[in-house]
Amino acid sequence: MHDILIVGAGSAGCAIAARASEDPRRSVLLCEAGPDYGDLANTPYDLVNSHNNSYHAHDWGLSHLPTRTRSVAFPRGRATGGSSAVNTTIALRGMPEDYDEWASQGNPEWAWPRVLPAFNRLERDLDYGERPYHGDAGPISIRRYRDDELTPQQAAFLDAARALGYPDCPDANEPWGWGSGPHPMNKLGRLRISCAIGYLAPARARPNLQIRAATLVLRLVIEGGRCTGVVVRNADGTIETLQAKLVVVSAGAILSPAILMRSGLGPRAQLEALGIPVVRDVPGVGQNLSDHPALSVSCVPRDPSMIDLDSPIIQTILRYTGAGSSLRNDLQIEMLSFNGRRGDGTFGIAAVLEYQHGRGELRLASADPDAAPLIDNRFCEDERDLSRLVQCFKDTLAFTRNPAIADLIDRIGFPRQASLTSARHPDTLGLTDDDIAALCRRFAGSGYHPCGTVKMGPASDALAVVNQYGQCHTVEQLVVADASIMPGVPRANTNLTCIMIGEKVGEWLRTRPALYGL
């Protein structure tokens, strides 16, 4: 029997395993459904190459409904490191107000002054590490592209932003800053500094840490209101029960609620409809799904050679506050050097809603652990979200009219209507607000930042599944710690916040074991 069994070697799980195993008296078992590559020399190129996302060889093969009109792929990393091993390496923090909002909902441990030390502890910021709101000795190296490293599209984006009146923001992680500048990124050259590299690599030699790859957790073992272990399927197909004093589920915002529901923890009606015995009726499991809705302008370049699929897909960012909004930096615009997996000879400019009011839902399709869950985002069904994404898209179209970018463009590929100028609506290339709203309702996509599906909060919160320490309200010795416990999506790409969650919970396990019954 292990002291701590962690389900999922993703961003949070790796951090928890590394921090908790710093105590040599504590035995830690980390289970990962995907493969594990014990050293960098044996790590496949798609996990090393940070210039692009890896969506094929190490992916769960999920799909989702961003809006009610279509189903599209929903990439999630399946390997040690989780999505930190396949993502775009954007190392962005949310606004201080995001974490203070979590605290105001009954989670005081997550107020900005209490999460800042964990953010600092996780990072080795090569540009601003000496500043009080940064760290210089953490496991995740972070740097920003220099001007001479930018692709033509990325350089033009910053020039256009200046011309459009946005201020320069050299450090997007400065807590009170805004404007355009280089993205902070957890990469060194091409090398993606995933949590498998930053956290697990230095910890592998510890005799009290065991990593089991190709180990799919089928369900939790719950006896007498207490979680005593997990049932797993090994690579050879054998079924095994692993016991532990404490189980920490860190499988992410999609798979953590799925594991809970397969184990009988979830909304009663849903579980009974699938023939799953109800251990505890927990209405909040799978609810409160939050993410970043986005819609991109697709640009066909005058010079096709500009599209280099071997260049970094993203290097720059604009964070700003929508007109009339009380939510600081609730909008984001990003240049994409090429349009991701499509490789269609275009580059994109993405309009992203960073603060989402609406919520979606995650449900099980069946009790079969090999069946993908149903992910229903319901983007832009909340009018507050729709109106701000419309505004952001209009602001994005303005970039295409600025000479810095306009000189690079032969035509607009999406939306096609934007190729037809209009005397009535010259600022949006012929599109009315209603036109853009219709596009958002139909085509809004995900920033791939799901969270909130195992919400943390006090027991008085009807949707809260765990408390502020990640402890399940209804089952003892069960902790959830990953993006799923976030009450709402922060105003940033979520990977750094996920690592921060792992840092805090891992430190609590190391320094306050009695809190968790250890």
Side-chain angles (χ1 to χ4, degrees):
M1 175 184 289
H2 288 81
D3 292 313
I4 303 169
L5 188 157
I6 303 165
V7 180
S11 299
C14 286
I16 294 168
R19 293 307 186 197
S21 64
E22 288 178 359
D23 182 350
R25 300 166 298 176
R26 201 76 58 201
S27 62
V28 178
L29 173 62
L30 178 62
C31 293
E32 166 58 38
D36 177 42
Y37 303 101
D39 59 71
L40 191 57
N42 293 322
T43 300
Y45 182 69
D46 68 299
L47 300 184
V48 172
N49 178 28
S50 64
H51 281 5
N52 203 348
N53 314 80
S54 171
Y55 288 156
H56 304 290
H58 298 90
D59 186 65
W60 280 88
L62 304 175
S63 62
H64 74 133
L65 294 169
T67 64
R68 299 300 178 93
T69 61
R70 62 205 177 96
S71 176
V72 296
F74 197 78
R76 298 283 89 194
R78 184 169 180 157
T80 47
S83 292
S84 80
V86 303
N87 66 8
T88 319
T89 70
I90 292 172
L92 199 63
R93 299 174 179 177
M95 296 293 101
E97 300 95 312
D98 292 323
Y99 309 104
D100 288 340
E101 183 174 313
W102 295 3
S104 72
Q105 295 179 28
N107 307 293
E109 290 284 3
W110 300 87
W112 172 246
R114 296 193 181 186
V115 302
L116 179 58
F119 275 121
N120 289 353
R121 191 166 60 242
L122 71 86
E123 73 178 11
R124 173 177 170 249
D125 193 304
L126 300 175
D127 301 313
Y128 300 103
E130 79 286 353
R131 301 194 177 181
Y133 47 83
H134 278 303
D136 63 0
I140 302 298
S141 297
I142 295 172
R143 70 176 295 265
R144 296 148 188 84
Y145 282 100
R146 302 185 309 269
D147 286 349
D148 62 358
E149 297 176 295
L150 299 178
T151 68
Q153 302 94 307
Q154 302 289 341
F157 179 77
L158 295 184
D159 289 341
R162 294 185 190 103
L164 290 167
Y166 298 104
D168 287 344
C169 183
D171 177 16
N173 280 334
E174 192 277 308
W176 307 106
W178 73 283
S180 63
H183 247 312
M185 308 192 83
N186 52 295
K187 61 192 301 183
L188 295 175
R190 282 187 181 272
L191 177 62
R192 178 186 286 108
I193 307 299
S194 71
C195 288
I197 291 174
Y199 278 94
L200 284 192
R204 286 180 182 275
R206 296 173 189 161
N208 62 322
L209 173 61
Q210 180 184 353
I211 301 170
R212 285 186 53 154
T215 303
L216 179 69
V217 172
L218 305 179
R219 62 178 178 85
L220 308 172
V221 178
I222 301 172
E223 300 172 329
R226 184 185 186 93
C227 187
T228 60
V230 298
V231 178
V232 303
R233 186 176 67 214
N234 298 311
D236 61 3
T238 58
I239 306 298
E240 183 180 3
T241 298
L242 306 176
Q243 295 182 316
K245 295 178 183 177
L246 180 76
V247 173
V248 181
V249 179
S250 297
I254 304 303
L255 298 175
S256 284
I259 290 171
L260 265 58
M261 286 189 278
R262 290 201 306 268
S263 306
L265 306 176
R268 177 180 295 277
Q270 290 187 33
L271 300 185
E272 290 179 341
L274 297 174
I276 299 173
V278 178
V279 175
R280 294 286 189 273
D281 180 12
V282 189
V285 177
Q287 302 302 300
N288 193 53
L289 174 60
S290 185
D291 200 339
H292 290 138
L295 188 66
S296 294
V297 178
S298 178
C299 304
V300 180
R302 294 182 189 273
D303 179 4
S305 68
M306 178 184 297
I307 306 301
D308 178 5
L309 300 183
D310 197 42
S311 66
I313 187 173
I314 194 164
Q315 296 177 303
T316 58
I317 183 178
L318 167 64
R319 304 174 94 178
Y320 70 108
T321 305
S325 175
S326 62
L327 300 163
R328 188 169 63 94
N329 288 353
D330 59 338
L331 302 178
Q332 178 176 303
I333 300 176
E334 295 178 311
M335 171 65 76
L336 305 175
S337 296
F338 52 90
N339 269 319
R341 288 171 289 170
R342 294 198 297 272
D344 58 3
T346 67
F347 65 88
I349 313 175
V352 188
L353 178 63
E354 289 293 289
Y355 186 99
Q356 188 197 29
H357 290 282
R359 292 294 188 267
E361 178 186 23
L362 182 141
R363 305 180 303 279
L364 289 184
S366 84
D368 182 354
D370 293 315
L374 303 173
I375 307 166
D376 187 0
N377 287 93
R378 302 174 187 168
F379 287 152
C380 296
E381 293 186 12
D382 188 301
E383 288 297 320
R384 294 170 294 181
D385 295 341
L386 177 63
S387 63
R388 286 181 300 130
L389 187 56
V390 167
Q391 178 190 338
C392 191
F393 194 74
K394 290 165 67 176
D395 295 338
T396 301
L397 286 171
F399 275 80
T400 69
R401 302 194 319 278
N402 183 270
I405 293 178
D407 288 348
L408 303 179
I409 298 174
D410 177 65
R411 65 185 186 280
I412 301 295
F414 177 88
R416 289 193 178 92
Q417 299 97 311
S419 300
L420 307 175
T421 58
S422 163
R424 289 183 58 202
H425 305 284
D427 290 343
T428 54
L429 304 181
L431 295 168
T432 67
D433 283 6
D434 287 344
D435 292 334
I436 297 172
L439 291 173
C440 291
R441 290 191 187 98
R442 183 176 179 187
F443 293 113
S446 172
Y448 306 134
H449 304 144
C451 61
T453 49
V454 186
K455 182 185 179 185
M456 70 173 165
S460 57
D461 183 340
L463 287 183
V465 181
V466 301
N467 67 14
Q468 64 176 338
Y469 300 103
Q471 296 164 307
C472 185
H473 285 306
T474 56
V475 175
E476 296 180 7
Q477 297 309 103
L478 174 61
V479 169
V480 183
D482 55 29
S484 69
I485 72 170
M486 300 180 192
V489 68
R491 278 162 271 189
N493 303 61
T494 49
N495 190 45
L496 225 58
T497 300
C498 291
I499 302 172
M500 179 273 289
I501 289 172
E503 272 282 348
K504 284 180 68 72
V505 173
E507 281 293 280
W508 287 332
L509 287 168
R510 184 178 70 86
T511 62
R512 303 172 64 182
L515 176 66
Y516 293 96
L518 296 172

